[in-house]
Amino acid sequence: MSHPTPSWASVRRSERLAGTPVVKRGAHWWLVSPSGFVLASDPAFTGELQRFATALAAADRAVAEIRSQNQAAPKAQP
């Protein structure tokens, strides 16, 4: 089975999980460094990565919602 293998040069900082050298390409998690890459295949480890990514996405959505509500709220006049 072929996996989309990342290279250090092809991994943008925005793709990394919270600034770490971990990226998800398709359904696979990869550990990426200047010296190479490793497919993360341990189910316990990849499960934790997935839970962390899900929690981080939920937090980002909550912050975006709060910011949206704050921008929509009328500003108090002194």
Side-chain angles (χ1 to χ4, degrees), residues 5-61:
T5 307
S7 70
W8 182 255
S10 73
V11 176
R12 295 183 309 272
R13 188 155 192 69
S14 62
E15 284 185 287
R16 298 180 191 166
L17 179 60
T20 67
V22 178
V23 296
K24 187 171 186 183
R25 294 277 171 97
H28 304 284
W29 287 98
W30 295 86
L31 306 175
V32 184
S33 76
S35 60
F37 52 87
V38 175
L39 176 64
S41 58
D42 176 48
F45 180 61
T46 57
E48 287 301 316
L49 287 173
Q50 188 61 47
R51 281 187 283 284
F52 180 61
T54 300
L56 190 59
D60 287 345
R61 284 190 302 275

Side-chain angles (χ1 to χ4, degrees), residues 60-78:
D60 287 345
R61 284 190 302 275
V63 168
E65 184 177 326
I66 291 168
R67 286 183 177 158
S68 173
Q69 289 172 357
N70 286 344
Q71 289 175 351
K75 297 186 177 172
Q77 297 291 327

